Structure formats: C-alpha cells, structure tokens
Amino acid sequence: MKKEIRTRYAPSPTGKLHLGGARTALFNYLYAKNQKGKFILRIEDTDLKRNQEEGAKNQLDGLKWLGIAPDISYEKEDQFGPYFQSKRLNIYQKYIDYLLENKLAYKCYCTKEELEESANKQRSKGIKLVKYNRKCYDNPSIKKDIKPVIRLFVEDNLKLSWDDLVRGKIEVPSSSFDDFIIVKSDGMPTYNFANVIDDHLMQISDVFRGEEHISNTAKQLYLYKLFNWNPPRFAHLTIITNKDKKKLSKRDETVFQFIENYQTLGYLPEAVFNFLSLLGWSPQTEQEIFTKEQLINIFNLNGFSRAPSQFNLEKLKWTNNYYIKKLSPHKLKEFLIPFIDQKDLLIIKDNLDNILLLFQDQLREGNEIKDLIKIFTIFPTWKDLDYKFSKKDLDLIKDFANKIKIIKFNHLEIEKLLKDLSIEFKVKGRELMRPLRLAITGNEKGPSLIKIIEIYGVKKIELIIKGFFKDEIHNR
Ligand code: GLU
C-alpha cells in the first residue's frame, strides 16, 4: 500500500503569519490535498526567548483565514502529537540518551570565551571555515557552574545528498559543518535536532520549505543517517523578492509583510490563495485565475520555479478585483460593511445594497469603499474644482434641475432626460456629463452618473443644485 502523504508547516511562534510562511504553508497544503494526504501544523517553540504568547494562535488563525486550515494541529491532534515541540521534551530525551550512550554526541562545557579563543586561533592560521575544536569530546573538563550543551560528533568524510524537488541533486560534504549543537544549555533541543525527530515520528513524507534551510538539510540528513531513518523528500522554495529584486525581509517597507495586513486592507482569502500559489510555482499555462479546487487538482512537483519570485502588488490587486467582482450581492455586503464608518453606514443604510453594487467592479482593495461612498454621505463642495463653468454649462445644469423634478423618476426616464438635454444644448458625451457630474457630485470622477442620481433621489438633487448655485464657483 502506498504510504500516506503527510506534509507539515512548522513555524516558530514568533509572530504573525508572514507572506513567505504563508506561501510555504500553501505549497505543503496543496501537495497534501492533491495526494489525498494530511497537512499538519507543528509549532517549533524550542527557542524560548523568541516565542510570543499569541504566536501559535496567530499562525493558525492566518492559515484558517487563507482557507488552508491544517488537518492536524495542536487543536486537533492525532496519535503522533503533541504538536508543540515544547511538549515533546521527554520524547527527544530518549534519542539524546541514545546518542550520548553511543558516543555519537557529547556534552560540551566550553565557555563563550574559550570558543572565541579557539576560533581566533584558527583564523590566525588562515582557516576560513572555523569549527569547534572538539575539546570536550577528547578531554571534557566538567565545570559545575556551567550547564553544558550537547554536540553531535560529526564525521567529516561523509557526503550528504538529496534530490531536491525544486533544484535537483544537491550534495553537501559533512566536512562543511562542525559538531553542531543538538541541545542548548537551557536543556531545549535545537531546531535541527527536534525537526528531524519530529519529521520522522510524525511520518512526514515531504517537506516544502524556504531555501534558507538548505544548509540545515545537510545537518539533518546526517542525523537521519545516524538513526538509520529514511528522510522525507525535500523541496527548497526560492525566495520571494520585492519590486527591486531584493529578498523580502520583515523590515521591508515597500511590501506589507503579513497575511493579516491583507485581511485588513480588504483582500479576499481566495485572491491571496490564488496569487500566492503562483508565486514560485506555475501550472505552465497562461491562465492566472484558479479556484482552490482547480489548484489542488493541478498541483504537481514539476512546476516549481528555480528563479526567485517577485512579489507583484499590481497583480495581487488585479486578482483581488477579479474575486470581488464575482461576489454575490449578499457576500459583497458582508465583505465591505466592516470597512465603512458607522456614521456613514447609518446615512446610507436604505440604499446600501445599490451603493455597494455601484462600486463593486472598480474595487481592488475592500478598504477603498470607505472613501468612495463619501459621495453619498457628504454634501458636495465645489471649492477645489479646477473647472470654469461656461454660461452654457450653467444653463444646462439649471435646465436639468428644472426637468428632473417633473419626470418620472427612474433609470430610463433619467437617461431620456439626458438625451433630450444633449439635443437641446447640442452637446455630447463628456461635454454634457462633465458639468453635470461636477455640479452634482463635486467630483471629476465616479461611477455611473445616472445611478448616482437615482440613489440621491429628487430631493437631494434639488438641494445640491441649490447649493451649487449659491456657491461662488460658477461666477469665478
Ligand atoms: N521552524 C522552522 C522555520 O520556521 C521550520 C523550517 C522547516 O520547515 O523545517 O523556519
């Protein structure tokens, strides 16, 4: 029987879900789902100083928002849990004891100063790859006041290689690293150690993670060898860059870094899902829009890009606009209401559905609605307009105001009125619409003027036109 595919996203709980982390999680998710396997969230919280109280929750919430809730996590464990590394210390201990007993690992009491001194000595001899000098392996000097670390004894004649799913064969000699630490002086296992034990015990079949882990993979393979375990397959994803082709770093101010930022700005999870899936992976077609189900179906291991993937905000906005346009009126309302100020909501509540529909096609971020709807909540002003109304414009506006009162107030009739005015005043298109729009909304741009007029209603139009003629603008 084919072994079940199990993938995992294994963040440290140091903050919110980052774009890069989300993409890593997404590829793990897509592959697991494509293979009808399991997607797992494991929290790697052994670096006590860096842990944040809400870190694990932030990560899980981010995944849920994105629509990739794990099958297994600290909320929903299986027989291989717990899924917090800090709750697995007794499990690691067994393997540490084994390594110590078999002299495959040893305690190291060297102080920082001793380590520095040895490193300096090596540098002065021209050695570039500074390594631990194994003092405590050969001749441990136990110091009572020092809590030792545990180092792995690394033989330096081995070749560690794997067929990377993104980059093909990678080979790293064990001589390129030293007796690395597997347990820190606070008793916590290091990332490289706990990661191997867990991936093995949790029966992880495939690991998709960032390329910054390539050097760790070699160390981890050393451990797999020692324990005689089959390692999972590895895929090291290329970096994400900003528009200047620099690696996205958490301090980069040109790009919002966290999934939560996109939620707050009004991105739909479907859009972010679609966009991130194509960041470093491609279905090898021109198609840009895919549903989640389609992506799960077509996801395969041949589509990874070997070049860095550039984060293109314009494309994300375009994708988001596509998904916003697809929302049903009900979903649109649910999505947009949180972005609108309470007092504005009260003003427009009777026309809310129509107003939101009016802007639906143009929205690229949900939060844009906040300002757009102001044309329905704020009485227009004309003082900032850079337009000189001609005598003909003003006559046109007056005539419009007189006639709008007497027509049957509906879309068709308003349309007809505008046509009549166009004939009467011998003006077409922009020449007709521009002065009217400016007088009615105080704005150059906006959605369909007829729809705005319909939503305003006769009374408001009358008030506005009165206001307009009271204003000095038309005399300038
Ligand atoms: N905790 C590691 C990280 O956040 C996990 C890396 C891995 O996937 O092995 O980078």
Side-chain angles (χ1 to χ4, degrees):
M1 208 177 90
K2 201 174 152 242
K3 245 181 75 187
E4 184 184 44
I5 293 295
R6 287 169 63 93
T7 66
R8 86 310 190 266
Y9 169 54
S12 299
T14 54
K16 307 207 160 119
L17 180 56
H18 187 256
L19 273 181
R23 183 193 59 160
T24 300
L26 187 54
F27 288 152
N28 280 287
Y29 171 90
L30 284 173
Y31 188 58
K33 293 293 147 186
N34 174 272
Q35 296 288 313
K36 314 247 173 314
K38 297 263 167 16
F39 170 57
I40 296 162
L41 170 71
R42 177 174 75 225
I43 302 293
E44 301 208 329
D45 58 345
T46 61
D47 192 346
L48 300 177
K49 288 190 294 294
R50 294 182 63 226
N51 289 345
Q52 268 188 22
E53 204 181 320
E54 293 282 286
K57 185 174 179 310
N58 286 337
Q59 294 287 329
L60 184 55
D61 286 351
L63 299 182
K64 285 181 182 167
W65 180 81
L66 199 54
I68 55 172
D71 302 299
I72 295 160
S73 70
Y74 63 86
E75 267 189 357
K76 229 190 332 173
E77 306 213 314
D78 62 3
Q79 72 269 37
F80 303 121
Y83 282 90
F84 270 109
Q85 287 190 326
S86 59
K87 295 192 176 160
R88 302 174 60 81
L89 300 183
N90 58 338
I91 299 177
Y92 305 130
Q93 195 57 48
K94 250 180 43 206
Y95 297 94
I96 295 162
D97 291 345
Y98 166 83
L99 293 172
L100 286 172
E101 276 157 25
N102 290 284
K103 296 239 170 332
L104 298 166
Y106 58 95
K107 292 185 178 168
C108 170
Y109 292 86
C110 287
T111 61
K112 220 169 125 203
E113 291 73 29
E114 284 171 308
L115 294 174
E116 252 163 43
E117 196 188 314
S118 148
N120 286 337
K121 234 188 223 160
Q122 295 176 53
R123 280 189 208 105
S124 69
K125 284 190 197 149
I127 299 173
K128 285 216 178 72
L129 191 68
V130 168
K131 289 186 183 177
Y132 175 60
N133 64 10
R134 285 208 174 134
K135 184 165 164 238
C136 288
Y137 182 75
D138 301 326
N139 184 16
S141 62
I142 297 170
K143 298 177 188 122
K144 285 232 169 61
D145 51 333
I146 282 189
K147 291 223 168 72
V149 300
I150 299 177
R151 290 181 182 272
L152 199 68
F153 180 86
V154 176
E155 287 182 40
D156 61 6
N157 54 358
L158 291 176
K159 290 212 183 338
L160 302 153
S161 68
W162 71 99
D163 278 319
D164 198 276
L165 298 172
V166 179
R167 290 145 202 275
K169 187 166 165 139
I170 300 183
E171 190 174 90
V172 180
S174 61
S175 56
S176 66
F177 49 89
D178 66 356
D179 290 357
F180 61 91
I181 296 174
I182 57 171
V183 179
K184 293 174 279 185
S185 58
D186 63 3
M188 295 302 266
T190 56
Y191 156 68
N192 274 325
F193 181 71
N195 194 270
V196 167
I197 306 292
D198 287 348
D199 281 347
H200 173 72
L201 294 179
M202 294 171 183
Q203 303 196 357
I204 300 302
S205 59
D206 296 84
V207 169
F208 300 81
R209 63 184 173 198
E211 67 176 11
E212 66 276 14
H213 287 294
I214 287 181
S215 60
N216 288 324
T217 303
K219 291 180 182 168
Q220 293 171 10
L221 284 175
Y222 191 91
L223 279 160
Y224 281 102
K225 260 194 201 303
L226 273 189
F227 289 120
N228 217 358
W229 292 339
N230 281 332
R233 294 193 298 177
F234 293 102
H236 289 94
L237 311 167
T238 52
I239 56 166
I240 306 177
T241 60
N242 67 14
K243 65 178 185 332
D244 304 321
K245 307 226 165 112
K246 294 223 176 69
K247 182 177 180 210
L248 272 199
S249 86
K250 295 200 174 142
R251 282 173 298 280
D252 189 333
E253 283 176 9
T254 64
V255 178
F256 286 108
Q257 299 287 322
F258 298 100
I259 287 299
E260 193 194 71
N261 300 136
Y262 294 90
Q263 191 177 356
T264 326
L265 288 166
Y267 284 82
L268 289 164
E270 298 86 319
V272 181
F273 187 112
N274 189 153
F275 171 80
L276 283 180
S277 310
L278 304 181
L279 204 58
W281 180 83
S282 148
Q284 276 132 13
T285 65
E286 294 294 301
Q287 195 178 331
E288 301 274 11
I289 297 290
F290 294 93
T291 63
K292 179 169 167 179
E293 286 64 36
Q294 285 171 330
L295 280 163
I296 290 174
N297 280 332
I298 60 173
F299 192 77
N300 63 68
L301 301 174
N302 303 320
F304 290 112
S305 139
R306 289 185 179 211
S309 12
Q310 201 170 1
F311 182 88
N312 180 342
L313 183 61
E314 280 307 305
K315 184 169 166 194
L316 175 55
K317 286 186 176 175
W318 175 84
T319 311
N320 200 40
N321 172 257
Y322 174 88
Y323 282 96
I324 292 177
K325 285 195 286 202
K326 285 240 164 283
L327 291 176
S328 67
H330 174 73
K331 288 260 182 250
L332 181 74
K333 190 152 106 180
E334 202 175 69
F335 170 57
L336 292 178
I337 280 185
F339 298 104
I340 304 176
D341 293 337
Q342 273 307 318
K343 59 177 194 335
D344 286 343
L345 259 185
L346 277 177
I347 300 173
I348 58 174
K349 67 177 188 319
D350 294 340
N351 272 316
L352 185 59
D353 293 358
N354 286 333
I355 291 177
L356 298 182
L357 285 174
L358 192 57
F359 294 112
Q360 179 166 22
D361 285 358
Q362 80 183 78
L363 292 174
R364 297 181 353 132
E365 291 181 345
N367 76 89
E368 290 163 3
I369 195 68
K370 182 184 162 87
D371 289 336
L372 288 172
I373 55 122
K374 297 281 181 203
I375 63 163
F376 295 105
T377 62
I378 293 177
F379 201 77
T381 57
W382 298 270
K383 64 179 180 339
D384 294 329
L385 286 185
D386 184 19
Y387 182 78
K388 187 153 173 38
F389 290 89
S390 64
K391 164 98 179 37
K392 191 170 168 188
D393 287 340
L394 297 173
D395 289 346
L396 172 83
I397 295 165
K398 259 187 213 138
D399 207 29
F400 166 81
N402 290 332
K403 289 187 172 144
I404 192 91
K405 282 187 276 190
I406 48 179
I407 62 164
K408 233 171 156 196
F409 199 79
N410 63 39
H411 194 94
L412 276 180
E413 291 297 318
I414 300 169
E415 209 169 45
K416 188 167 167 299
L417 167 59
L418 293 180
K419 259 195 209 125
D420 292 347
L421 289 172
S422 157
I423 296 167
E424 189 187 328
F425 285 83
K426 297 195 181 55
V427 285
K428 265 201 266 169
R430 198 167 142 78
E431 263 182 295
L432 167 77
M433 297 306 268
R434 194 176 185 203
L436 282 177
R437 178 183 289 283
L438 290 173
I440 295 169
T441 69
N443 234 304
E444 274 282 352
K445 287 196 201 120
S448 149
L449 187 62
I450 300 185
K451 288 198 178 147
I452 295 180
I453 294 171
E454 268 185 276
I455 292 172
Y456 276 173
V458 191
K459 277 211 190 93
K460 185 163 176 186
I461 297 276
E462 261 184 79
L463 273 178
I464 291 178
I465 302 281
K466 232 187 228 159
F468 171 75
F469 279 107
K470 255 201 219 143
D471 193 276
E472 290 300 296
I473 174 149
H474 57 280
N475 295 325
R476 272 194 279 166

